[in-house]
């Protein structure tokens, strides 16, 4: 089936009270992992690429990987999403390359590191909405800056993330401002800041309400109940994967991610898209380290990429089940002409 817009999938998710994992792709093995997990669980999927991924893989390779996935898995609805677009031009180039959904992250200026103001965010996001909707493409916006409520610092991902330290207010999305932003821009989904951040090093302890403001999600949802909310930086950073990486020669520092039960709480309060990347990276790395550690004589990349692919598939499968998207592919498929 053809690639579908994000809005179609998130509308169905809202009607049926589930969330959808948005899974990042850089190469063939990752898209294979995602699609096999989707097939196994009968799940619709959001496959997304950051600017860093587009630079690493090149748009033509990514586009054809997505098209291959649609061809090989005709029963799985797939959204092709641009993650953290830094400018109108970045989003437009994604649309021209066949993406069915784009994120305009106007919370930061075009340099991807300097916090913007509300007027700038509205201006660039509304322009992307105008261009995208004219082509049937969905748009995700962001209000508030992703960063740690513990330290006030951000965590760069593929070169995207604010520099320096921000105030507590800048790191929490205001429910009132969120409502105004949606009205001013017409976005299909809104990423909100609640203390999550990119990468593995999100929290120095198991997060509680002081550093992971899930109550803010509930306030925002109450204020704009018909807006699809998005949680970025929502990998759970499983302890078992940290342990495996370190067992086979890694040096990951102890860290904590976003507990799955907190994400499930968010889903009950309007969260429909949940970005997961670090968990998959860790699964791949742990599997590769294990092969190379235990069998140092091996040199064929397939010897370690096959178990790496299987390890990522298992994480994707777990999240699809935990977020509730499993089993919904047939119903979503019927929504597409």
């Amino acid at each position: 089936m053809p690639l579908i817009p994000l809005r179609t999938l998130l509308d169905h998710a809202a009607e049926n009270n589930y969330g959808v994992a948005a899974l990042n792709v850089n190469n063939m093995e990752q898209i294979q992992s995602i699609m096999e997990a989707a097939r196994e669980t009968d799940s619709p999927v959001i496959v997304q690429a950051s600017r860093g991924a587009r630079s690493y893989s090149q748009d033509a390779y990514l586009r054809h990987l997505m098209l291959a996935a649609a061809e090989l898995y005709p029963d799985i609805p797939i959204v092709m999403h641009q993650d953290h677009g830094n400018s109108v031009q970045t989003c437009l180039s994604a649309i021209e390359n066949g993406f069915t959904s784009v994120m305009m992250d106007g919370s930061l200026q075009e340099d991807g590191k300097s916090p913007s103001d509300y007027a700038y965010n509205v201006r660039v996001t509304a322009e992307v909405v105008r261009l995208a909707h004219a082509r049937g493409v969905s748009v995700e916006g962001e209000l508030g800056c992703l960063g740690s409520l513990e330290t006030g610092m951000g965590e760069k991902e593929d070169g995207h993330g604010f520099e320096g330290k921000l105030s507590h207010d800048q790191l929490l999305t205001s429910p009132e401002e969120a409502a105004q932003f949606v009205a001013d821009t017409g976005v299909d989904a809104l990423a909100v800041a609640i203390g999550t951040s990119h990468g593995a090093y999100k929290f120095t302890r198991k997060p509680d309400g002081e550093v992971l403001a899930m109550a803010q999600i509930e306030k925002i949802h109450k204020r704009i109940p018909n807006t699809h909310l998005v949680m970025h930086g929502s990998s759970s950073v499983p302890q078992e994967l940290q342990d495996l990486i370190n067992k086979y020669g890694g040096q990951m520092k102890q860290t904590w991610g976003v507990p799955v039960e907190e994400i499930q709480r968010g889903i009950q309060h309007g969260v429909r898209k949940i970005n997961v990347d670090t968990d998959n990276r860790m699964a791949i790395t742990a599997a590769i380290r294990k092969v190379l550690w235990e069998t140092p004589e091996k040199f064929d990349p397939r010897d370690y990429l096959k178990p790496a692919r299987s390890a990522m598939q298992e994480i994707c499968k777990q999240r699809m089940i935990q977020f509730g998207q499993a089993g919904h592919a047939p119903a979503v498929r019927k929504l597409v002409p």
Side-chain angles (χ1 to χ4, degrees):
M1 66 180 298
L3 301 170
I4 69 170
L6 179 70
R7 185 62 184 255
T8 299
L9 177 51
L10 298 192
D11 282 351
H12 186 268
E15 290 168 7
N16 295 276
N17 201 31
Y18 65 90
V20 185
L23 304 159
N24 287 70
V25 163
N26 299 273
N27 60 26
M28 182 184 73
E29 285 75 18
Q30 288 180 309
I31 189 73
Q32 289 173 327
S33 300
I34 293 167
M35 296 312 300
E36 276 299 294
R39 180 197 59 76
E40 193 174 351
T41 60
D42 211 7
S43 297
V45 295
I46 302 168
V47 181
Q48 59 186 21
S50 65
R51 284 187 297 127
R54 292 176 64 190
S55 174
Y56 173 81
S57 300
Q58 300 181 39
D59 283 341
Y61 283 116
L62 281 175
R63 180 174 66 253
H64 286 286
L65 283 174
M66 302 292 186
L67 294 175
E71 179 182 337
L72 293 169
Y73 299 84
D75 293 333
I76 300 298
I78 306 169
V79 175
M80 182 177 174
H81 179 73
Q82 157 76 61
D83 190 24
H84 284 292
N86 66 315
S87 68
V88 174
Q89 185 54 45
T90 295
C91 292
L92 185 58
S93 70
I95 293 169
E96 291 170 345
N97 274 282
F99 285 70
T100 56
S101 175
V102 294
M103 180 197 185
M104 179 61 235
D105 183 0
S107 70
L108 301 177
Q109 296 178 30
E110 190 169 339
D111 63 8
K113 61 182 181 180
S114 303
S116 69
D117 58 26
Y118 180 83
Y120 171 88
N121 196 349
V122 167
R123 177 171 59 81
V124 294
T125 304
E127 177 64 7
V128 170
V129 169
R130 183 184 70 82
L131 294 170
H133 283 185
R135 305 191 190 191
V137 173
S138 303
V139 179
E140 174 188 336
E142 180 170 318
L143 188 64
C145 292
L146 295 178
S148 170
L149 291 175
E150 284 186 277
T151 65
M153 306 296 289
E155 182 71 33
K156 283 189 176 182
E157 184 79 349
D158 287 336
H160 189 95
F162 70 84
E163 293 185 343
K165 191 171 184 177
L166 296 182
S167 69
H168 197 272
D169 288 344
Q170 289 174 296
L171 295 169
L172 282 178
T173 301
S174 158
E176 293 72 28
E177 199 168 61
Q180 189 62 51
F181 185 80
V182 172
D184 288 344
T185 61
V187 291
D188 299 289
L190 180 65
V192 294
I194 56 168
T196 60
S197 56
H198 292 134
Y201 300 103
K202 305 176 189 300
F203 307 107
T204 62
R205 55 185 169 85
K206 184 176 180 179
D208 56 23
E210 291 184 8
V211 296
L212 179 60
M214 295 305 298
Q216 199 74 3
I217 288 273
E218 297 173 14
K219 293 175 185 176
I220 295 168
H221 179 56
K222 186 174 182 180
R223 186 70 177 77
I224 45 174
N226 296 319
T227 298
H228 305 311
L229 302 181
V230 181
M231 284 178 63
H232 280 244
S234 292
S235 282
S236 298
V237 195
Q239 185 63 52
E240 60 269 23
L241 290 181
Q242 294 182 53
D243 293 342
L244 275 174
I245 288 172
N246 290 339
K247 178 180 179 180
Y248 296 110
Q251 295 182 3
M252 279 195 73
K253 297 178 294 184
Q254 179 62 53
T255 185
W256 283 263
V258 182
V260 168
E261 58 267 25
E262 295 294 346
I263 296 170
Q264 291 170 332
R265 173 184 172 187
I267 291 169
Q268 296 305 310
H269 295 279
V271 171
R272 299 295 160 225
K273 176 175 177 281
I274 305 100
N275 286 19
V276 175
D277 187 12
T278 296
D279 289 352
N280 290 331
R281 294 181 181 190
M282 291 174 67
I284 288 169
T285 297
I288 290 174
R289 281 190 171 277
K290 184 176 188 294
V291 171
L292 296 181
W293 183 274
E294 293 184 339
T295 53
E297 73 278 5
K298 289 187 179 294
F299 57 87
D300 186 339
R302 291 171 295 185
D303 287 334
Y304 51 81
L305 289 177
K306 286 181 180 179
R309 187 172 58 189
S310 296
M312 177 171 163
Q313 178 182 334
E314 182 58 29
I315 290 290
C316 293
K317 176 184 172 183
Q318 289 175 19
R319 299 297 178 264
M320 289 170 180
I321 293 169
Q322 291 162 338
F323 298 166
Q325 72 202 76
H328 284 288
V332 175
R333 191 165 61 244
K334 291 178 182 177
L335 301 175
V336 182

